[in-house]
Amino acid sequence: MTGANSEAELWSKIPAVEGNGVPDPNVSSAPRLFTWEEIELCTGQKHPPRDRWLVIDRKVYDIGQFYKKHPGGSRVISHYAGQDATDPFKAFHKDKTLVRKHMKSLLIGELAPDQPSFEHNKNKLLVKEFRELQTTAKKLGLLKPNSLFFIVLLLHILLLRAAGWFVLWYFGTSVMSFLIATVMLTLSMLGKQKKKIMPYNYQHKYFPIMMPIVVVPVFQIYSVYFTFQRRLWRDFVWIMAHFALYLAAFVPLFGLVDAFGFYFLINTLDGAQFTWISQMSHIPMTIDYDKNMDWFSTQLQGTCNVNQSFFNDYITGHLNFQIEHHLFPTMPRHNLWKVSPLVKSLCAKHGIEYQSKPLFTAFADVLKSLKKSGEIWLNAYQNG
C-alpha cells in the first residue's frame, strides 16, 4: 500500500476473519501438507467457487471468505489464488507482523517438504536474486521515507499556490496574470456494436481531450468517497482543508461561481498532466492474460521508465521510475532512482529488457498504442 494511509489504519477497519471450516493447524502438532497440484486447482474459478488458496513463505492460506474483506481490494489478493504470493505480499505490506495476526485464521497448512517454495515454471535463480535485492534495498534504508523531502515538497506546493494567488490579487484578473496564476496552480498539484457510441478506433484522437475532463470529477469524487468509506478521517480532513483554503483564497477575487470555474480549469489541466504522466508508462506496454510469471518479470513486462533528468524527475514527481515503483510499491519515490542500477543489473543478467525512453517519446507511444489497439478493435468488430 502507498500514500498517507498507514497499514494499521486499513487493517483495523475489518473484523477478524473466522476459519473456513478447516481445523486450525496451530492446535495440532502436525500441520496439513499440500502439493502444488492441489493448490493450483484452488483459484476460485472452479467448483466450489469459494475455494481460493495461496502460498506465502511456504504456508498455505484459504482466502475463500477473506478476499472480499481484503483492505487492498478483492481483485488484488484473489488474483494470486492458486499461486505463490510471497513476493507481492512482501512488496505491498510494510508491517508484516501486523498483517500476519490477521492471517492466522486463514492458515490451513504448508507445502510438503518435497515441494518447491514456488511453482515449477518460475525461474528459481531470478526469484532468489530478486528476494536478495529486496533485502538489500531494506538494509540500505531505501524503504524509509526522508521527512525533509516531503516537508520541502509541501512547502513547494504552498509556495506555488501562494504565488498564484498573489499574482491575481496584486495585478488583478487580467489575461496575463490569469495565465501566470493558472500555470503556478497547475504545477502545485458499452460497445459500438450495440449502442454505437464508443468509437474506439478514434480513441487516440479524443484521449488527450476527454481523459483530463473525465479524470478530474471521477478522481475527486472517488477520493472523498474512499476516505469516508474507510473512515480515514485524517485524509478526509486534509481534503476538506484543501477545498476550504481554496474557497477562502479565491472567492474574494472571483466570486463564488467564477471561483468554481477557475478550480475546474486548474484541475482539468492538472488532470491532463496526471493522465499523461501516469499512462505513458502503462498503456504502451504488453497486456496479456495471467501467465503466472514471477513477480520481477511480470512488472518489467507491464511498465517502463522515462529517462532521468531534473525536468523529468520534477514534472513526474519521481514517478518516471515506474519499473522500480512497481517492484517496490512501498518505497518512497525519492529513493526509486537509487535502486534503479540494481534492477538494471538484474535485468541484464537474466536477459530481461529494461525499457526507458525520452519523455516526449513516451507521450507519443501512448497515442501510437491507442491507435493500434483501436484498429485491432475495429477489425474485430467489422469481421466478428
Side-chain angles (χ1 to χ4, degrees):
M1 290 177 289
T2 58
N5 309 326
S6 70
E7 217 165 312
E9 284 182 282
L10 291 178
W11 281 99
S12 66
K13 307 305 177 188
I14 62 171
V17 179
E18 299 298 330
N20 295 321
V22 180
D24 187 351
N26 295 318
V27 177
S28 173
S29 59
R32 180 181 172 186
L33 302 179
F34 295 91
T35 64
W36 276 111
E37 287 72 20
E38 293 175 289
I39 295 166
E40 289 170 350
L41 292 174
C42 298
T43 63
Q45 305 302 316
K46 297 181 174 62
H47 298 290
R50 62 168 287 189
D51 282 351
R52 285 177 168 85
W53 297 354
L54 53 76
V55 177
I56 298 175
D57 289 329
R58 298 191 62 85
K59 302 295 184 182
V60 182
Y61 298 91
D62 184 349
I63 60 168
Q65 295 179 350
F66 171 75
Y67 80 99
K68 293 182 180 179
K69 303 174 183 178
H70 180 234
S74 60
R75 292 185 180 181
V76 174
I77 190 171
S78 60
H79 174 82
Y80 292 98
Q83 302 180 21
D84 174 61
T86 302
D87 289 328
F89 172 79
K90 291 181 178 179
F92 284 106
H93 300 90
K94 285 185 177 180
D95 191 343
K96 296 171 183 58
T97 302
L98 169 70
V99 179
R100 290 187 191 279
K101 291 180 180 179
H102 292 266
M103 295 167 59
K104 287 182 179 179
S105 61
L106 309 178
L107 182 65
I108 59 174
E110 60 186 50
L111 290 172
D114 64 336
Q115 295 293 301
S117 296
F118 41 85
E119 302 89 318
H120 298 80
N121 63 297
K122 292 181 178 176
N123 187 326
K124 182 178 180 180
L125 181 59
L126 178 57
V127 172
K128 175 179 177 294
E129 292 183 341
F130 175 66
R131 291 179 180 178
E132 291 174 352
L133 176 56
Q134 288 178 311
T135 302
T136 300
K138 185 175 182 179
K139 288 181 178 178
L140 292 174
L142 299 182
L143 299 180
K144 296 180 179 179
N146 184 336
S147 299
L148 180 61
F149 172 84
F150 292 102
I151 291 173
V152 171
L153 181 63
L154 177 59
L155 293 176
H156 153 265
I157 295 172
L158 295 176
L159 180 62
L160 282 174
R161 288 188 174 273
W165 177 86
F166 177 79
V167 167
L168 291 172
W169 173 78
Y170 187 80
F171 295 101
T173 54
S174 65
V175 174
M176 183 56 67
S177 61
F178 179 82
L179 292 175
I180 293 173
T182 300
V183 171
M184 290 179 174
L185 292 168
T186 299
L187 289 176
S188 47
M189 231 57 168
L190 293 172
K192 185 175 178 181
Q193 183 174 3
K194 294 182 178 180
K195 304 212 172 188
K196 301 183 179 180
I197 60 171
M198 295 297 286
Y200 294 112
N201 51 311
Y202 297 118
Q203 62 185 1
H204 60 290
K205 295 181 178 180
Y206 60 73
F207 170 84
I209 300 173
M210 294 302 298
M211 275 301 293
I213 297 175
V214 171
V215 163
V216 174
V218 171
F219 271 56
Q220 294 275 0
I221 294 172
Y222 181 75
S223 295
V224 175
Y225 167 77
F226 180 84
T227 55
F228 188 80
Q229 180 194 41
R230 295 297 180 95
R231 299 176 183 176
L232 303 174
W233 303 125
R234 181 182 59 184
D235 290 353
F236 186 75
V237 169
W238 275 104
I239 293 173
M240 293 299 103
H242 164 74
F243 286 121
L245 182 61
Y246 174 83
L247 292 175
F250 291 99
V251 169
L253 296 178
F254 291 114
L256 184 61
V257 175
D258 288 346
F260 273 105
F262 188 45
Y263 180 83
F264 181 80
L265 172 63
I266 293 170
N267 280 269
T268 297
L269 296 175
D270 189 37
Q273 179 186 5
F274 168 80
T275 299
W276 282 102
I277 288 173
S278 62
Q279 298 309 308
M280 67 186 180
S281 297
H282 298 87
I283 286 182
M285 303 306 295
T286 300
I287 300 175
D288 205 344
Y289 292 105
D290 177 29
K291 296 181 178 179
N292 194 9
M293 298 170 64
D294 60 90
W295 173 255
F296 186 85
S297 299
T298 301
Q299 306 316 308
L300 267 294
Q301 185 181 80
T303 188
C304 66
N305 281 7
V306 170
N307 297 343
Q308 185 181 21
S309 69
F310 176 81
F311 177 79
N312 289 351
D313 290 356
Y314 173 77
I315 203 68
T316 64
H318 296 268
L319 291 180
N320 46 328
F321 290 94
Q322 276 294 313
I323 291 174
E324 290 72 21
H325 176 57
H326 277 234
L327 290 172
F328 304 94
T330 62
M331 182 177 289
R333 50 185 163 147
H334 56 76
N335 285 335
L336 294 174
W337 68 275
K338 296 179 182 178
V339 78
S340 177
L342 300 177
V343 174
K344 288 181 180 178
S345 177
L346 194 56
C347 286
K349 181 175 181 179
H350 291 274
I352 299 174
E353 184 180 9
Y354 181 98
Q355 293 194 47
S356 185
K357 58 187 73 171
L359 180 65
F360 291 103
T361 299
F363 286 164
D365 285 349
V366 171
L367 299 182
K368 290 179 183 178
S369 180
L370 290 173
K371 185 176 186 297
K372 181 179 179 181
S373 60
E375 290 171 349
I376 293 174
W377 170 85
L378 181 62
N379 180 63
Y381 168 70
Q382 291 176 337
N383 300 306

